[in-house]
Amino acid sequence: MRLPHIETTRVVIIGAGNVGPTTAFALMVQGIASEIVLIDIDKKKCAGEVLDLTHGISFVKPVRIWAGDYSDCKHADVVFICAGAKQKPGQSRLGLLKPNTKIVSEIVKKIVKNITRHTKKAIILVATNPLDVMTYVALKVSGLPPYQVFGTGTNLDSSRFRWLLAERFGLAATSMHAFLIGEHGDSSVPVFSHANIMGKNITELPEYNKAAAEEAYKKTKNAAYDIISRKGATYYAIALSVAEIIRAILYDENHVLLTSSLLTGQYGLRNVCLSLPSIVGRTGIKKIIEIDLAPDELEKLRKSAKVIQEEIKKVKL
Ligand code: NAD
């Protein structure tokens, strides 16, 4: 019997450390992709992670998972980069600039060799830190258009922030509308002027407490340091954040997410990658939304852009 041709949705994950396999798990449990490929220079660990994941396939929607190589990128819809050095306890994300520039550049060259020879427009999504600089590196090395190469940004930070604020107001995190823009790192900007519950700004609510709201941001900013000091790495929440972004791409959802991409004049900023609310679909970043910011938020965003621009200057491609 001749079987019909089945359109697949393939996600290739480069990096089988903590973040890569956890992301594969999140994709698999939610049935987001029909093919998941893991690649890592540590082939033994990669093979082990794949075995562990495949042993759960009978519990979830049909999916093929294998340890692959760069030739698998040729049929990819999304190539997700999470390979490279991770923060040591107390180390800032920016401290990873040198080793990870080299790793991300090498990886992107290999990806591009494979995806550009084929018709599918694969999206390159970056999570390796320092995220905004690595997104810029991936974009420049790839030579692809800015909408096709972007980073996971402050989508995770925004989830942390929403949960912390929601706890204060006794709400579900999904009912709390709040987000961070700018660097995925120490200069991120909480947008209190747009933090709301069904359109009502949190500052107008009787339960609002300025010190508590600021504490929620402080905890958000320090979340990775806190987790890394306790367990060495963060991976569950980033995996869920990445799964949300990949679903938005594969299903052409036009979901507004906090991803990091090249700015082209928004708020007068250009030639820097940072997070702003962005419409994400099958072609990648369809639009960056320029919302009204309070004067102090705009000032902080400019400072954040400067931090990233200074780091970009140190990069030798
Ligand atoms: P990890 O050390 O557990 O895994 C990194 C993996 O990359 C290792 O398995 C290593 O063998 C592999 N690797 C190194 N060089 C490679 C290369 N040239 N080609 C292929 N594979 C290579 O680290 P992790 O905890 O998984 O974190 C990975 C990265 O993601 C770090 O930079 C970390 O800071 C970042 N991260 C980002 C976010 C975010 O929100 N953007 C969240 C968590 C972690």
Side-chain angles (χ1 to χ4, degrees):
M1 187 179 67
R2 200 191 153 109
L3 291 170
H5 172 73
I6 307 289
E7 246 328 291
T8 60
T9 45
R10 181 180 297 183
V11 177
V12 176
I13 299 175
I14 323 262
N18 293 300
V19 175
T22 325
T23 300
F25 185 69
L27 293 172
M28 163 184 174
V29 167
Q30 295 181 46
I32 291 174
S34 66
E35 296 181 341
I36 303 170
V37 186
L38 257 82
I39 299 176
D40 198 292
I41 40 166
D42 186 343
K43 290 199 184 315
K44 191 175 163 201
K45 178 166 193 303
C46 191
E49 295 290 356
V50 165
L51 271 179
D52 200 1
L53 288 163
T54 50
H55 294 169
I57 282 179
S58 71
F59 300 117
V60 297
K61 282 190 191 154
V63 57
R64 288 183 63 223
I65 306 176
W66 68 96
D69 56 44
Y70 285 90
S71 67
D72 289 309
C73 293
K74 68 186 176 198
H75 295 303
D77 294 275
V78 179
V79 184
F80 172 53
I81 306 174
C82 56
K86 63 172 183 284
Q87 290 165 269
K88 296 184 183 71
Q91 185 183 25
S92 98
R93 292 173 178 91
L94 296 175
L96 302 169
L97 183 86
K98 214 171 159 196
N100 285 350
T101 297
K102 189 167 179 288
I103 292 172
V104 169
S105 303
E106 282 170 11
I107 289 172
V108 170
K109 282 179 199 156
K110 290 182 200 161
I111 297 170
V112 169
K113 252 191 205 163
N114 285 283
I115 63 172
T116 52
R117 275 195 267 123
H118 293 268
T119 49
K120 267 193 174 175
K121 289 250 181 265
I123 303 298
I124 300 182
L125 179 66
V126 182
T128 302
N129 277 315
L131 187 274
D132 304 285
V133 190
M134 291 306 108
T135 302
Y136 185 88
V137 167
L139 175 67
K140 292 294 157 183
V141 172
S142 73
L144 293 170
Y147 58 82
Q148 210 179 332
V149 183
F150 57 97
T152 53
T154 53
N155 206 50
L156 165 63
D157 320 49
S158 300
S159 167
R160 289 172 172 152
F161 189 47
R162 278 199 295 271
W163 172 70
L164 285 160
L165 284 177
E167 288 281 290
R168 300 285 320 179
F169 288 94
L171 288 177
T174 44
S175 298
M176 172 59 68
H177 303 285
F179 55 93
L180 266 61
I181 57 175
E183 183 197 2
H184 167 63
D186 300 341
S187 71
S188 61
V189 183
V191 187
F192 283 111
S193 65
H194 289 278
N196 72 84
I197 297 162
M198 289 307 277
K200 188 141 180 104
N201 192 279
I202 58 167
T203 56
E204 295 165 25
L205 294 164
E207 302 91 336
Y208 175 73
N209 175 316
K210 190 169 190 282
E214 278 165 4
E215 182 62 18
Y217 168 62
K218 205 169 148 201
K219 281 192 174 160
T220 301
K221 188 172 81 161
N222 293 327
Y225 294 114
D226 188 19
I227 298 167
I228 290 166
S229 76
R230 292 168 195 259
K231 58 174 268 193
T234 72
Y235 38 92
Y236 294 120
I238 178 65
L240 290 169
S241 172
V242 174
E244 180 181 63
I245 298 169
I246 292 180
R247 194 187 61 211
I249 297 167
L250 295 181
Y251 290 81
D252 195 25
E253 284 179 351
N254 296 329
H255 200 158
V256 179
L257 299 169
L258 277 302
T259 45
S260 175
S261 62
L262 188 78
L263 299 198
T264 52
Q266 292 83 358
Y267 306 102
L269 301 167
R270 57 186 79 245
N271 206 30
V272 63
C273 290
L274 51 73
S275 290
L276 288 176
S278 307
I279 302 175
V280 180
R282 182 59 191 85
T283 48
I285 302 288
K286 293 190 179 177
K287 192 177 177 187
I288 297 174
I289 301 171
E290 220 172 328
I291 51 166
D292 291 336
L293 294 173
D296 65 316
E297 292 164 350
L298 190 55
E299 182 61 29
K300 285 180 190 157
L301 180 68
R302 293 205 167 114
K303 278 194 183 144
S304 187
K306 195 129 197 84
V307 169
I308 304 162
Q309 276 160 340
E310 287 305 314
E311 293 302 304
I312 286 174
K313 279 188 200 158
K314 297 179 194 162
V315 168
K316 290 186 185 40
L317 296 176

